[in-house]
Amino acid sequence: MARILDGKWVRDQILKDCVSRIERLSAAGRPPGLAVVLVGNDAASEIYVRNKVKTSGDLGIYSEKLTPSASVTTEELLEIVEGLNARADIDGILVQMPLPAQVDSSRVLLAVDPEKDVDGFHPLNVGNLVTNRPGPRPCTPSGIMEMLRRYDIPIKGKRAVVVGRSDIVGKPMAMMLLHAHATVTICHSRTSDLQGECRRADILVGAIGRPALLTADFIKPGATVIDVGMNRITDAATARSVLAGATEKLAEFDRKGAVLTGDVHPGDVARTAGAYTPVPGGVGPLTIAMLMVNTIDAAERRRGIG
Ligand code: NDP
């Protein structure tokens, strides 16, 4: 059986490393400050933001939630961001995506001061990533790099395949693996032989959003498989077809009427991979931990500490 890569264990290690840095910043004047802007009342976004604010509070990071209504205009949101850019006590600004349709999301992301861009989404920071210069990195892929490092999984010289090319996961993930000297292939919905590409991977990352798409035939025996996908299945026929053979997940579906599953087939990966991240409990916990790290990094950079 494959080794399980435990995201909660990695998260706890990352957060433990944050404590002394926060104490040092607090002793030097004030704790790091994070502002989270949550527009409207999207249920999933509300849960993400609540967890971000709670983790900040537990660690001793000052955090503030701003909740403009769902009808906010681009101009109003730009004004809020500018206000946060100007505040000395705020080191990190996070605008929770997605924004309502009437808001120009790219203008809002561009308005965030790159120094305070704790998501690493500003084009200046994308450029820093591509050219391997210091700067905030997108939280989910940087959490995955921490996980690979803390589990001593070799990257240099390995063949890595990233399925998914989004700006928040797939592309930055590929770039980080490249900087760590993997030979990287990026796949997407138009890739002609997805299975063949995936089967060559020593490190396979699924960041797709399609439940259990990557089955045994996509996994090289012994590979490290990182499953970023978070798919909630609520329909019995879908559960039976995509999760066939995943006994525990199907039992969970029968108990609860819904189940959270990744982009990788949970039974197949356990039987075929050398190591893998479960869903839930794998990649999920890392994202918030890295947001805390980015906030502390920003605070140290702004105050010349570190
Ligand atoms: P996007 O929808 O932005 O991107 C999905 C990518 O998958 C696209 O590049 C798309 O290709 C590709 N894709 C879709 N269908 C297929 C297919 N059949 N074969 C091959 N490639 C395909 O998603 P995100 O990157 O934002 O998120 C991906 C998943 O990760 C989601 O389930 C999301 O919920 C989860 N997630 C989890 C996080 C965590 O903390 N654990 C954080 C962020 C995301 P194309 O570009 O050609 O359309």
Side-chain angles (χ1 to χ4, degrees), residues 1-212:
M1 280 297 262
R3 181 158 65 133
I4 293 177
L5 305 174
D6 180 356
K8 291 183 185 155
W9 176 77
V10 177
R11 173 198 61 197
D12 291 347
Q13 302 297 308
I14 295 170
L15 293 181
K16 208 159 71 189
D17 293 348
C18 289
V19 173
S20 59
R21 297 174 68 194
I22 295 169
E23 281 169 1
R24 194 160 159 228
L25 283 159
S26 302
R30 60 168 180 82
L34 172 67
V36 183
V37 182
L38 171 64
V39 179
N41 28 37
D42 176 71
S45 296
E46 275 178 11
I47 295 171
Y48 295 143
V49 167
R50 196 183 313 141
N51 289 337
K52 287 167 184 174
V53 170
K54 180 176 184 314
T55 307
S56 305
D58 291 348
L59 273 181
I61 290 178
Y62 169 76
S63 76
E64 198 171 295
K65 186 169 89 170
L66 295 95
T67 54
S69 82
S71 60
V72 72
T73 64
T74 303
E75 298 307 325
E76 286 165 343
L77 213 43
L78 289 174
E79 209 171 296
I80 290 172
V81 169
E82 289 304 340
L84 294 169
N85 283 344
R87 274 178 54 186
D89 60 332
I90 295 297
D91 301 292
I93 302 170
L94 183 151
V95 181
Q96 185 68 43
M97 296 289 149
L99 292 172
Q102 80 276 5
V103 174
D104 184 341
S105 302
S106 71
R107 273 185 75 198
V108 174
L109 288 183
L110 266 175
V112 174
D113 179 346
E115 294 280 324
K116 298 188 177 188
D117 166 36
V118 281
D119 262 334
F121 293 164
H122 191 287
L124 191 100
N125 289 320
V126 176
N128 284 331
L129 166 61
V130 173
T131 53
N132 211 9
R133 289 185 170 88
R137 305 292 196 238
C139 298
T140 303
S142 63
I144 292 168
M145 295 305 285
E146 278 292 319
M147 172 173 258
L148 295 172
R149 191 172 69 78
R150 288 173 194 256
Y151 273 103
D152 280 327
I153 291 174
I155 303 175
K156 190 162 129 187
K158 299 295 176 191
R159 197 181 284 272
V161 173
V162 179
V163 190
R165 56 175 164 179
S166 72
D167 291 339
I168 61 168
V169 191
K171 280 186 217 162
M173 181 80 262
M175 203 47 69
M176 288 177 203
L177 288 164
L178 182 67
H179 291 322
H181 309 296
T183 300
V184 182
T185 302
I186 306 176
C187 298
H188 45 79
S189 66
R190 321 295 158 83
T191 297
S192 58
D193 178 16
L194 184 64
Q195 185 178 313
E197 300 293 349
C198 291
R199 260 193 90 83
R200 281 190 282 277
D202 302 307
I203 299 170
L204 175 63
V205 182
I208 314 165
R210 300 278 181 278

